[in-house]
Amino acid sequence: MKRYFVLLIIYLIETNIIVSAYYINQEYNAPRNGDVLKAEELVRIPVTTIGNDVTWDFSDLSVDCSDISIRYIKLNDSVMVRCKGKEMSYFAIYGDSISQTEYCTPDKRLEIIRPELLAVFPMGYTSCVADYFYSEGILDGSHYMRQAGNSCTAIEAKGRLITPDCDSLRHVLLSHRYRVGTTYISPDFSKSFLNNRDNLMLSNDSILEWMSSDTITHSIDTYRWYAQGYRYPVIEQNIVKTFYNKIQVDSVSQTLYFSPRMQEEDLTKDELNDSLRIVNRNEPWDFNLSVNNEDNINHGANLGFLAQGNVCNLSPILVDNSTTLFYNCESSTTIEIRIFNMSGALLAYYINTVQGTHGSLSVDTSQLRQGEYIVNVILGKEVFSFKIFRK
């Protein structure tokens, strides 16, 4: 692992490729005091995580309306705390860097004596920061606990993202934080650095020795999709793995969705990101689609025809000559379909009378130019809107 970090950093320096048209910046993306994020949970996302022109299509992912919230509280000019339920993480902000300094849950408290470096702003495509960390504290009020390891945060991919709400996001950066470490638990507090102040315990060599000699280690992969114009990641996925003698024995994952609508409507006004969103929405969607696996694109629709009321869905939303409207209605009715450009001009109008309670209709998109459009559907008395992208 040490050799990997050294080679990666040397490669970035020698090739001088730490450049990008957009970045994660401190003024645009650092957490703010008082912000409360409401998260919805998604299934695990098996997607491409490396590349410079990736299209992530999450439009077919189901969302669990979980009661999850994250609150940010500023303690002083340089310390911010992130509260997620009963879990609290403390971050120190020094100049253009941010590091984790403390972690607390009801049953443990860890002071990160050698802070864990998380980011150095600004970070663009191919940016990378890596360092070792060392922490210790108390578990269950009676046991000494020590954690040590190394972590690396890299911007591994950039591209475009389609959310589970079928919203289009440009200038998306994927941040990948890989953290690997070892944990030591003992009733003997005599080995604590806080007691003997042995600086050798904090050295890279000591940390590497503990990790190599421990039979049980753990890793955490954290993927965060940042979209320009939004302060917080839109999607965050955490994958925790446990290893016994370097063989994986367990894996647990959680994926959270912080919807763009929530970030726009529920958070305190953010002038910097508000202005970026306006620019993005008026900018043409340059759809030089680069998808290696067609399975990444939503080719079907799952309406759940047992649902009550009128329901419809549009698939695919990445269109060529046509797309399909899937509908479920309580009785025979009239379906009206209108296609608008992003300026609100009506480009096409279709009307059909359907006899069955569910079915599908083909919608012609062959006359549309490359770009994004709004499809407005009136199904009975219900109105639905979808965004499509003409290749």
Side-chain angles (χ1 to χ4, degrees):
M1 185 57 64
K2 180 179 181 182
R3 182 172 178 271
Y4 166 78
F5 287 139
V6 172
L7 290 176
L8 179 58
I9 293 172
I10 291 175
Y11 171 75
L12 294 177
I13 293 173
E14 289 182 347
T15 55
N16 192 28
I17 58 174
I18 306 182
V19 294
S20 175
Y22 35 87
Y23 297 85
I24 300 174
N25 289 292
Q26 186 169 8
E27 59 268 40
Y28 287 90
N29 300 108
R32 300 183 306 170
N33 181 42
D35 279 352
V36 179
L37 299 176
K38 297 176 183 177
E40 299 170 293
E41 197 162 355
L42 301 175
V43 296
R44 181 171 172 173
I45 308 171
V47 296
T48 302
T49 57
I50 297 177
N52 65 1
D53 190 21
V54 181
T55 297
W56 295 284
D57 183 4
F58 300 144
S59 59
D60 60 346
L61 293 184
S62 58
V63 177
D64 177 15
C65 298
S66 308
D67 186 19
I68 300 175
S69 65
I70 296 175
R71 179 184 298 273
Y72 289 93
I73 302 173
K74 188 175 183 179
L75 300 183
N76 54 51
D77 289 341
S78 61
V79 178
M80 179 79 70
V81 60
R82 179 181 188 263
C83 303
K84 178 185 174 185
K86 297 180 179 180
E87 174 187 294
M88 294 188 294
S89 299
Y90 293 78
F91 303 98
I93 302 174
Y94 297 113
D96 59 358
S97 68
I98 182 169
S99 303
Q100 186 169 354
T101 59
E102 190 174 339
Y103 178 79
C104 299
T105 66
D107 62 341
K108 66 182 174 183
R109 177 182 178 275
L110 280 170
E111 180 181 350
I112 307 177
I113 300 170
R114 180 170 173 171
E116 183 173 355
L117 181 64
L118 303 180
V120 176
F121 298 108
M123 294 190 70
Y125 178 54
T126 71
S127 295
C128 175
V129 294
D131 202 359
Y132 291 85
F133 63 88
Y134 175 85
S135 59
E136 56 181 49
I138 298 177
L139 177 66
D140 293 329
S142 59
H143 283 70
Y144 165 66
M145 183 176 184
R146 176 174 70 203
Q147 282 191 351
N150 52 36
S151 68
C152 174
T153 302
I155 308 299
E156 292 186 333
K158 66 176 182 178
R160 315 163 183 84
L161 185 151
I162 304 170
T163 73
D165 299 322
C166 296
D167 196 3
S168 61
L169 301 176
R170 305 175 182 83
H171 307 317
V172 177
L173 291 176
L174 175 58
S175 168
H176 178 200
R177 176 186 169 210
Y178 177 74
R179 181 185 192 268
V180 60
T182 181
T183 301
Y184 174 82
I185 300 173
S186 170
D188 183 7
F189 283 80
S190 64
K191 297 182 179 181
S192 168
F193 165 83
L194 295 173
N195 287 339
N196 54 42
R197 297 290 172 178
D198 181 6
N199 287 321
L200 291 177
M201 297 177 66
L202 309 183
S203 69
N204 295 351
D205 291 339
S206 295
I207 294 173
L208 283 172
E209 182 180 351
W210 294 332
M211 292 177 62
S212 61
S213 60
D214 197 346
T215 56
I216 299 177
T217 57
H218 59 267
S219 72
I220 303 175
D221 287 282
T222 300
Y223 297 95
R224 293 186 176 99
W225 281 263
Y226 284 90
Q228 191 177 58
Y230 295 93
R231 181 165 296 274
Y232 300 96
V234 174
I235 293 178
E236 176 181 306
Q237 182 177 64
N238 290 281
I239 305 172
V240 182
K241 300 176 183 177
T242 303
F243 300 86
Y244 180 73
N245 287 331
K246 299 183 180 180
I247 299 175
Q248 182 180 327
V249 296
D250 191 21
S251 178
V252 179
S253 67
Q254 182 185 51
T255 304
L256 300 179
Y257 174 45
F258 306 97
S259 72
R261 180 177 299 178
M262 180 276 299
Q263 295 198 44
E264 291 181 31
E265 297 177 357
D266 293 351
L267 298 183
T268 305
K269 187 172 179 60
D270 187 348
E271 289 83 0
L272 289 174
N273 285 298
D274 289 345
S275 61
L276 284 179
R277 290 198 297 271
I278 292 174
V279 172
N280 283 342
R281 282 170 179 159
N282 291 329
E283 176 186 332
W285 177 278
D286 182 16
F287 216 101
N288 297 316
L289 186 61
S290 176
V291 180
N292 295 324
N293 185 352
E294 289 188 357
D295 290 337
N296 288 337
I297 304 176
N298 178 23
H299 289 291
N302 180 12
L303 293 178
F305 287 117
L306 296 178
Q308 298 296 315
N310 297 328
V311 181
C312 68
N313 198 359
L314 202 65
S315 177
I317 60 174
L318 304 177
V319 304
D320 192 357
N321 293 321
S322 66
T323 185
T324 302
L325 177 73
F326 299 86
Y327 62 87
N328 176 44
C329 50
E330 295 179 328
S331 60
S332 59
T333 186
T334 298
I335 298 180
E336 298 181 38
I337 303 172
R338 293 176 173 84
I339 302 179
F340 300 88
N341 64 18
M342 298 307 291
S343 299
L346 178 64
L347 303 179
Y349 173 71
Y350 309 92
I351 184 168
N352 292 82
T353 300
V354 297
Q355 301 298 326
T357 57
H358 64 269
S360 62
L361 294 172
S362 178
V363 180
D364 181 19
T365 58
S366 61
Q367 300 303 310
L368 301 179
R369 295 182 179 181
Q370 184 185 66
E372 57 185 316
Y373 300 87
I374 298 296
V375 178
N376 181 261
V377 179
I378 301 178
L379 179 60
K381 296 182 180 180
E382 303 291 333
V383 179
F384 305 88
S385 292
F386 306 94
K387 188 178 290 185
I388 61 173
F389 312 95
R390 179 66 162 87
K391 299 179 186 178

